[in-house]
Amino acid sequence: MHQLRWLWQPLTAFVAALLLLLNLLLWLFWYQPASEVLTESSHRLGESLARTLAFDVAAPLQRGDRLAISLLLNRTAEEPLVTSVTLSSVDQDLTLASRPSNREPLQPTQFSHPVHFESELLGHTEIQLDRRPWIDWQTRTVRSWFLFNLLALAGAGGLLYWHSRMEHATTARLARQLTDNLPEWRDAFSGPPEAQLKALVERLSDAMDRNGQILRTLATSTDQGETERLLEQVHLAGVKGAYCDVALLNVQCHNWDALTRQYDAHQLQALWASYEHMITQVGELYGGVLLPEGFTLVFGLGDDDHYAMNAVCAARVLQMAAEQRFRQSTWLQPSFGYSLSAGPAFVSRTSKHGLPLPLVTGDAAQWLQQVSALQPRDTIFLAEPLLQHLEVNQNIEVSLLRDVTLSDGGRLEVWELDAIRGNRDRLLASQAKTLLDTR
């Protein structure tokens, strides 16, 4: 039944109804009228032959001329459908029959007519007609009807299968993409294409009711990368919260008041959007996701063991890109400070303007706030838990800035990034340059 699911669709019912209607029309307007015409023609032929024979044989029967009577009977028996002819006379005690036929009659039909000479009844003629031609016609008709229906069913089945394959081919790519990205939708794409389309429409209607702002944002977005980032963030945020180790990078602007005095609202919005896009691009490069509270990237939501070092590299790329842009521009540019933290956190889902985004709370977020409060311009500060990652500890040079007393009485060391060892810093500089050149 699973292999025949392409049959169970509305088009199948339409084809079956059409074939049934065609058979009904053939029976009403062709088979039944033709059968009645053949039966009536056979009846008329039998009556006509019996009447003609009774008229011709009256005079020989009156004379008692058996030879003439036999000739008339044999001549009538030579008619194509006549199998036997008989004449009987009670008064003369006479019964004559034609020569026997070479074939055995099939469902014969008898016709009788009285023989009169003037007003005297001399006897009766009986003619037997063979129904074999009518039965042969009926057999051929039934076979033709069966063959017609068989070919019609085969053609309809082929058409339905081809139509189902074509519809399946047009929906297979969408079904595969949706089931890969939204596994809970997998069951919606089983059965005929009509059922899949109905399930898709229902689910999209529910999604539009619940997340209209999301769909409007995606529909009006002209940046394909931005749309993909939003979809990725929805997937990473998940429906339920989870505890995991993450790294956080906060980019903090220190000359916001000067920017508001330099630019009007539209110019400031465009400038801010360009830097936000740059931060998003760097986040995509190193697997970071932008959080809703501002210029903060979270690393480690995916299956990446290098998320801590990726956060440091992302901060360094942003620092060098901002410095190059500041030197190249004749207009006032934002001045940023960069804060890094790592540790355990609870990742859940929140929304901003209707868009589902990940929300990070816990030790990592608290430590990031402590580091950001000390943040000066154009420097990268790191919370001490980030240095506990072996990869980070082995690839950077830092200097201790100060100890911070936390609200719970604990101590947090804040370090300043001095350099990244090896050739990695040159690679990060080229990435920063490429990031500016592609804008």
Side-chain angles (χ1 to χ4, degrees):
M1 294 299 294
H2 179 72
Q3 297 296 332
L4 295 178
R5 66 180 183 273
W6 56 271
L7 279 174
W8 312 118
Q9 51 179 308
L11 186 58
T12 304
F14 174 76
V15 171
L18 183 62
L19 184 60
L20 181 62
L21 178 61
L22 184 59
N23 279 275
L24 182 62
L25 293 177
L26 287 175
W27 183 79
L28 286 176
F29 296 102
W30 178 72
Y31 177 78
Q32 188 177 15
S35 178
E36 291 177 354
V37 168
L38 289 177
T39 302
E40 185 178 358
S41 299
S42 176
H43 185 74
R44 288 182 178 179
L45 177 61
E47 289 184 346
S48 176
L49 289 175
R51 186 172 56 251
T52 301
L53 178 61
F55 178 78
D56 293 339
V57 81
L61 183 60
Q62 174 66 25
R63 296 192 307 269
D65 189 353
R66 294 190 175 188
L67 180 60
I69 294 173
S70 297
L71 290 175
L72 289 173
L73 295 179
N74 291 331
R75 186 178 65 183
T76 304
E78 293 176 356
E79 293 292 332
L81 298 180
V82 178
T83 58
S84 66
V85 181
T86 303
L87 174 65
S88 61
S89 176
V90 179
D91 295 340
Q92 299 184 17
D93 192 19
L94 177 66
T95 301
L96 296 177
S98 63
R99 289 190 297 268
S101 175
N102 294 330
R103 65 181 184 274
E104 186 69 22
L106 185 63
Q107 297 182 8
T109 305
Q110 292 184 350
F111 299 91
S112 178
H113 198 277
V115 179
H116 289 90
F117 186 81
E118 295 181 353
S119 59
E120 182 182 2
L121 178 62
L122 300 181
H124 291 83
T125 59
E126 292 183 359
I127 294 180
Q128 191 176 75
L129 295 184
D130 191 4
R131 290 178 57 86
R132 186 184 304 273
W134 187 90
I135 295 175
D136 291 343
W137 174 85
Q138 189 180 40
T139 302
R140 290 193 301 269
T141 301
V142 171
R143 290 177 179 175
S144 300
W145 171 84
F146 178 78
L147 181 60
F148 166 76
N149 282 273
L150 185 63
L151 293 177
L153 288 175
L159 176 63
L160 291 173
Y161 181 77
W162 174 81
H163 182 264
S164 176
R165 292 297 92 192
M166 292 295 293
E167 287 194 343
H168 178 74
T170 57
T171 60
R173 181 180 179 185
L174 176 60
R176 184 171 59 255
Q177 291 177 345
L178 288 178
T179 51
D180 290 342
N181 293 282
L182 302 172
E184 63 273 13
W185 285 30
R186 186 181 305 276
D187 295 337
F189 293 96
S190 60
E194 288 78 7
Q196 297 183 18
L197 181 60
K198 182 179 179 180
L200 178 61
V201 170
E202 290 178 355
R203 289 176 178 264
L204 288 180
S205 298
D206 295 338
M208 290 183 69
D209 293 337
R210 295 192 304 266
N211 303 307
Q213 180 63 36
I214 300 175
L215 296 177
R216 285 194 295 270
T217 301
L218 297 179
T220 56
S221 177
T222 57
D223 188 353
Q224 182 66 22
E226 180 72 8
T227 301
E228 294 177 356
R229 180 183 67 82
L230 292 175
L231 292 175
E232 178 186 6
Q233 292 180 168
V234 171
H235 171 69
L236 291 175
V239 178
K240 300 179 180 179
Y243 287 98
C244 59
D245 291 328
V246 298
L248 297 174
L249 165 60
N250 176 256
V251 182
Q252 184 178 358
C253 180
H254 292 279
N255 60 340
W256 178 254
D257 293 336
L259 292 173
T260 57
R261 292 190 294 268
Q262 179 74 24
Y263 300 103
D264 59 28
H266 294 289
Q267 292 174 335
L268 188 60
Q269 182 180 12
L271 179 65
W272 202 248
S274 67
Y275 276 93
E276 182 179 14
H277 185 65
M278 183 174 66
I279 295 174
T280 302
Q281 285 183 303
V282 175
E284 292 176 352
L285 180 62
Y286 287 99
V289 178
L290 190 65
L291 295 181
E293 63 265 20
F295 282 8
T296 302
L297 292 170
V298 56
F299 300 82
L301 296 183
D303 298 331
D304 188 0
D305 297 333
H306 307 283
Y307 65 92
M309 191 62 198
N310 288 342
V312 177
C313 294
R316 182 59 176 154
V317 171
L318 287 174
Q319 183 187 40
M320 290 187 289
E323 291 175 353
Q324 294 181 32
R325 188 168 180 180
F326 186 84
R327 292 193 299 267
Q328 294 173 2
S329 177
T330 58
W331 292 80
L332 180 63
Q333 297 295 316
S335 178
F336 296 105
Y338 308 89
S339 303
L340 287 164
S341 173
F346 179 76
V347 181
S348 59
R349 174 181 285 190
T350 185
S351 62
K352 180 180 181 180
H353 304 299
L355 300 176
L357 298 173
L359 177 65
V360 178
T361 57
D363 292 342
Q366 294 178 6
W367 296 335
L368 183 68
Q369 292 177 359
Q370 297 294 331
V371 176
S372 299
L374 305 175
Q375 182 58 252
R377 297 184 180 184
D378 303 326
T379 57
I380 300 177
F381 281 4
L382 302 88
E384 187 272 334
L386 187 66
L387 301 178
Q388 296 177 5
H389 290 264
L390 183 61
E391 183 182 13
V392 176
N393 197 291
Q394 293 179 348
N395 288 279
I396 65 174
E397 297 178 1
V398 293
S399 57
L400 180 63
L401 181 66
R402 60 176 295 181
D403 285 344
V404 178
T405 302
L406 302 177
S407 58
D408 58 359
R411 306 285 295 179
L412 176 66
E413 295 180 356
V414 180
W415 298 74
E416 181 179 354
L417 178 66
D418 295 329
I420 297 179
R421 297 191 183 106
N423 298 325
R424 180 171 295 192
D425 205 49
R426 287 198 296 270
L427 174 62
L428 300 180
S430 64
Q431 291 177 354
K433 184 176 183 303
T434 303
L435 181 65
L436 294 176
D437 291 342
T438 56
R439 293 183 59 81

